[in-house]
């Protein structure tokens, strides 16, 4: 899990991640339901903790709009055209706090410490790793 989160954070480094689909590093371009759930949980945790934000055409989304985005992604498989369009529409950005956290982690060379800190941040925002499937994937 540490490597998954570290890889995903590195994709956001230095600016926007135009699509969560760009973080996929599988051997095929087939997105598994498990991967989709993990990436939705990651984005949800990061957003709820104030480490990332989601923009659509440079407009800030409200909490309700963000929930709607996650629901749309949970209902549509990125393996079909309609779902791929939903999954590739939204931009994800580090917040100032998220970028600062990531910059410190990169230069610290202490994964265990920063993994512990990330866990603490998530727990403070009630999205810790004892919880999962915040927005459950509904497609097969």
């Amino acid at each position: 899990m540490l490597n998954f989160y570290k890889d995903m954070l590195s994709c956001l480094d230095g600016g926007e991640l135009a699509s969560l689909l760009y973080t996929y590093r599988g051997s095929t371009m087939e997105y598994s339901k498990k991967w989709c759930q993990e990436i939705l949980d990651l984005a949800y945790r990061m957003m709820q903790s104030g480490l990332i934000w989601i923009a659509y055409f440079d407009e800030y989304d409200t909490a309700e709009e963000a929930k709607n985005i996650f629901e749309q992604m949970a209902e549509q498989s990125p393996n079909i055209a309609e779902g791929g369009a939903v999954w590739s529409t939204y931009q994800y950005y580090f917040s100032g706090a998220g970028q600062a956290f990531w910059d410190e982690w990169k230069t610290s060379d202490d994964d265990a410490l920063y993994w512990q800190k990330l866990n603490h941040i998530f727990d403070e925002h009630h999205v810790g790793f004892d919880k999962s499937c915040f927005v459950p994937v509904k497609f097969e």
Side-chain angles (χ1 to χ4, degrees):
M1 179 94 58
L2 165 70
N3 288 335
F4 177 74
Y5 271 70
K6 193 171 182 182
D7 285 349
M8 296 306 104
L9 295 181
S10 70
C11 291
L12 283 164
D13 191 17
E16 75 177 79
L17 174 61
S19 164
L20 290 174
L21 295 181
Y22 295 143
T23 66
Y24 187 70
R25 294 190 172 104
S27 59
T28 68
M29 288 309 293
E30 184 79 14
Y31 302 96
S32 72
K33 185 176 178 179
K34 179 182 183 299
W35 181 86
C36 292
Q37 186 64 66
E38 287 174 350
I39 204 74
L40 281 177
D41 287 344
L42 173 139
Y44 187 86
R45 281 184 177 105
M46 297 288 290
M47 190 194 73
Q48 291 297 316
S49 300
L51 299 174
I52 66 168
W53 55 279
I54 302 171
Y56 183 66
F57 298 121
D58 296 325
E59 295 175 13
Y60 289 89
D61 292 311
T62 65
E64 189 61 35
E65 289 168 327
K67 182 178 182 227
N68 185 40
I69 289 168
F70 283 105
E71 288 291 338
Q72 289 176 45
M73 293 172 78
E75 292 172 5
Q76 298 284 331
S77 169
N79 295 311
I80 60 172
E82 296 84 6
V86 169
W87 276 75
S88 62
T89 296
Y90 304 101
Q91 291 84 43
Y92 298 82
Y93 297 84
F94 268 134
S95 65
Q99 187 69 57
F101 177 83
W102 176 241
D103 289 344
E104 288 175 14
W105 188 352
K106 283 187 308 188
T107 59
S108 78
D109 204 26
D110 188 347
D111 284 351
L113 175 64
Y114 279 85
W115 182 243
Q116 184 180 13
K117 287 182 178 188
L118 187 61
N119 274 278
H120 181 72
I121 291 168
F122 289 164
D123 286 341
E124 283 183 325
H125 291 89
H126 309 290
V127 290
F129 287 104
D130 59 327
K131 299 169 180 66
S132 63
C133 301
F134 298 102
V135 181
V137 168
K138 297 176 180 122
F139 57 83
E140 289 302 317

